[in-house]
Amino acid sequence: GFKNINIVHTKDTKIANSDSLNNVLLAADGVWITGGRQWRLAKAYNHTKIQSSLQTLLNQGKVVAGTSAGASIMGDVLVRGDSDNSTTMLGEYQNGFNFINNFAIDQHHIARNRQFDMFELKNEKPDVLGIGIDENTGVVLHQNKFRVIGESYVTIYDNTRWSEERDTIYQLTKSDKQFYTISKGYEYGLNNRKVIT
């Protein structure tokens, strides 16, 4: 249903800092960041006007969304940002666009059996909130909480294990390798790091 679509793309940071490219972004009601390898997004756009323009859109209440690498780049901690492979959790490029502080997003999570990879990040950065988003699934973030949409699950790594059945939150130690999942319709608060029931 979208009638007015522009494609903005460059691998050159000089072009990413150009007014001509950024004026197209700043005129948008929403931006969709495509997938691929997240290190390429970090290399081309980190600390450029593109990153600033996307933040301006968010500050104006407009939509910035993405799929796969385009989702991972949203947090301040970038996972799978190594140019050599996509399995290294903390590689060559470790900084995302920082739209969400102290936050890391992994993708294709259950489909590619990545549930335990996040513990590599948690070993190095235990205070970072990690989430894994499965395929055909997403989160909609608004005012310090997100809601799960789609067909599968979002995996949560917040140093707790939540049991809906027991209505209990179990605090974990650093050596505990546990996580939990939430599905469509559930909400999660970023300020207190808890599922909103």
Side-chain angles (χ1 to χ4, degrees):
F2 295 107
K3 304 295 184 186
N4 184 9
I5 298 172
N6 289 294
I7 296 173
V8 174
H9 172 70
T10 184
K11 294 180 180 179
D12 187 332
T13 55
K14 290 181 182 177
I15 297 174
N17 280 314
S18 69
D19 289 339
S20 59
L21 210 63
N22 282 278
N23 287 341
V24 173
L25 279 182
L26 292 170
D29 293 316
V31 174
W32 181 260
I33 303 172
T34 58
R37 294 289 304 279
Q38 43 265 51
W39 71 268
R40 290 191 174 106
L41 294 170
K43 182 179 181 181
Y45 304 127
N46 265 349
H47 311 297
T48 68
K49 285 185 179 179
I50 292 282
Q51 184 179 356
S52 299
S53 294
L54 292 172
Q55 184 65 62
T56 296
L57 292 179
L58 287 172
N59 294 345
Q60 293 172 347
K62 297 180 179 179
V63 175
V64 177
T67 184
S68 192
S72 287
I73 198 70
M74 303 279 183
D76 63 335
V77 178
L78 185 63
V79 297
R80 304 187 191 279
D82 198 89
S83 60
D84 286 336
N85 64 73
S86 61
T87 59
T88 302
M89 291 301 281
L90 285 173
E92 184 179 353
Y93 295 89
Q94 296 186 13
N95 297 317
F97 287 167
N98 197 23
F99 298 149
I100 316 161
N101 288 323
N102 215 20
F103 199 70
I105 305 165
D106 199 9
Q107 12 75 7
H108 308 288
H109 214 241
I110 296 172
R112 297 187 184 176
N113 201 29
R114 291 176 166 180
Q115 300 94 304
F116 290 91
D117 293 358
M118 190 65 81
F119 292 118
E120 295 176 35
L121 167 71
K122 296 294 284 182
N123 286 340
E124 297 294 321
K125 299 177 181 286
D127 294 331
V128 169
L129 171 61
I131 70 167
I133 303 175
D134 199 25
E135 295 179 2
N136 299 314
T137 308
V139 299
V140 178
L141 177 66
H142 182 66
Q143 294 184 345
N144 292 312
K145 67 179 181 180
F146 66 74
R147 177 174 43 89
V148 179
I149 59 172
E151 299 174 4
S152 188
Y153 295 93
V154 170
T155 314
I156 307 291
Y157 303 80
D158 62 4
N159 306 325
T160 73
R161 179 171 59 84
W162 174 64
S163 171
E164 180 179 29
E165 183 179 42
R166 296 180 178 179
D167 191 25
T168 304
I169 297 173
Y170 300 91
Q171 193 65 43
L172 302 176
T173 67
K174 188 176 179 181
S175 62
D176 290 325
K177 307 299 183 192
Q178 297 186 47
F179 54 84
Y180 59 94
T181 59
I182 54 178
S183 58
K184 180 179 179 179
Y186 283 90
E187 293 185 328
Y188 186 91
L190 297 182
N191 288 340
N192 60 2
R193 292 192 176 186
K194 290 182 180 179
V195 177
I196 300 169
T197 56

